[in-house]
Amino acid sequence: MEPARGSRRLRSWSQFFLLLAASHSWSGAWGQDLQVLQPKDPVSVEEGKAVTLNCSVVGMPPPGPMLWFKGKGPQRQEIYRFRGGTYSRIKAAIPSSNTDFSISISHITPEDSGTYYCIKFKKGSPDDTEYKSGGGTILSVIAKPSQPLVSGPQKRVNAKEIENFTCTSIGFSPKNITLLWFKNGNEIRNSWTKVFPEGDSVSYNITSTVQVKLEAIDVHSQLICEVKHNALQSPLRGIKNLSDIIRVKPEVYILPQDVSTNDGIINCHVNNFYPQNVSVQWIKNGSKFEEGKTSEATENKNGTFSLSTLVNISALKEELEITCQVFHDSQPPINATKTFHPLPPSETIDKKPSAKGSTSSTRLHEPEKNARDLSQIQEANDINNDITYADLNLPKGKKSTPRAMETNNQTEYASIQTGPSPQREDNLTYADLDMVHLNRSSKKTTTRPEESYSEYASVQVQRK
């Protein structure tokens, strides 16, 4: 009986040592054969889309969790824990797998860029310890640049001035980007451009400044900032209409040059201005007077505007300084000034009413002519009674015709007869235009005026 009891005790101890040896061999197998595998190639994804980061385990893992981290070292960030935790954008690619620990991240942003590590932890007490880590996967996010924004002067500036314009675009990745400036389709090369930050970053920004000389013809011009990037299928453009900031001063001038033409009406021309808001004030000898009649502004082909305003100064009796004052776009007034002089007596033209029973007359101021010359003209006129005469006769009143009137009006003429001058040294005579009818058949001698009282000036017109 005793030997049998002893043999059973021996067998129990043998089994215990076999189990202990087996446990030690398994523990060695966990440490020597376990591998955590991550692809070596970087992964790129467009902003807003989803990406899968792969991780698999080969061998006999020890008890403990699998975790994903972004970054390395003390500053690393835990982003996912299998079999525990709740995550809004991250989930297991193959749930409940004991060998595949890949994850999927949705709604990618530039801030998701970085290096991700898949790590096996060994259960411990009180804390789990890192057991095996994958080599890491680099994730880069392709982010589109924002719509370029072009900014310039905050208030209007005059044509011919040089102004700075700035274009900005932000939030793009990777860093490589191209920015170009255009004005009306023509590239502008004198620009200053910078991409920042200068070092590595999850996203980048760009700013560029260009100088542009504004011209009067730029009302319809556009300034364009064009951005090209790998994340874009076609370039992005920021546009600035120069009509938003340009001011074109009006050209102001007065016509005509004097009041001897155009019935005393003068015009102020206000041309080629922008924007459209403008007002005109007339000033006479330093004082404002009636507002002229102003036309509506008309648009020119280049986008500027023009208008005109007029006033009447026909009753001009003394020297007059006229100023056309133009107010445009809250700027200091622009003036055009001209001095007008009354016409001298030798150039005036007067109308005088006709006396009852006589024909109307026109008074002309003209230099006095030699009576001998006029008598010679009169004799030449008497030779041919088929010639119509035009004579001017003054003063008006009861006239003595130089030729006797006949009932037969086969021949007609208007005589020019001057009245006696108040003084011999007066070199101006007045003339009246009157028509008389003569007898064609009987020609009578016309009494020539005495040299001291009257003169004749004749105009001969051949009858048809």
Side-chain angles (χ1 to χ4, degrees), residues 43-115:
V43 177
S44 296
V45 61
E46 292 184 12
E47 182 182 11
K49 295 187 177 181
V51 66
T52 298
L53 302 180
N54 295 310
C55 175
S56 59
V57 174
V58 177
M60 295 292 292
M66 289 289 297
L67 279 73
W68 277 90
F69 287 86
K70 180 183 179 183
K72 203 172 185 179
Q75 302 300 323
R76 67 183 181 179
Q77 176 187 1
E78 180 183 327
I79 64 167
Y80 190 77
R81 180 186 290 265
F82 289 87
R83 297 181 180 88
T86 302
Y87 306 90
S88 60
R89 297 191 300 129
I90 305 175
K91 64 181 180 178
I94 303 177
S96 304
S97 174
N98 293 323
T99 57
D100 194 315
F101 296 94
S102 301
I103 58 173
S104 177
I105 307 175
S106 62
H107 305 294
I108 288 291
T109 67
E111 288 71 23
D112 292 325
S113 298
T115 303

Side-chain angles (χ1 to χ4, degrees), residues 9-21:
R9 188 179 294 114
L10 181 61
R11 284 196 299 269
S12 297
W13 280 104
S14 299
Q15 292 174 356
F16 171 76
F17 284 114
L18 288 172
L19 290 172
L20 184 61

Side-chain angles (χ1 to χ4, degrees), residues 13 28 31 105 111 136 142 159 176 224 285 299 308 338 364 367 370-371 384 400 450 462:
W13 280 104
I105 307 175
E111 288 71 23
I142 302 175
N176 294 335
I224 298 175
N285 288 340
E299 185 174 0
S308 63
K338 188 174 292 295
L364 297 180
N370 186 284
N384 189 348
S400 174
E450 295 183 5
Q462 186 69 35

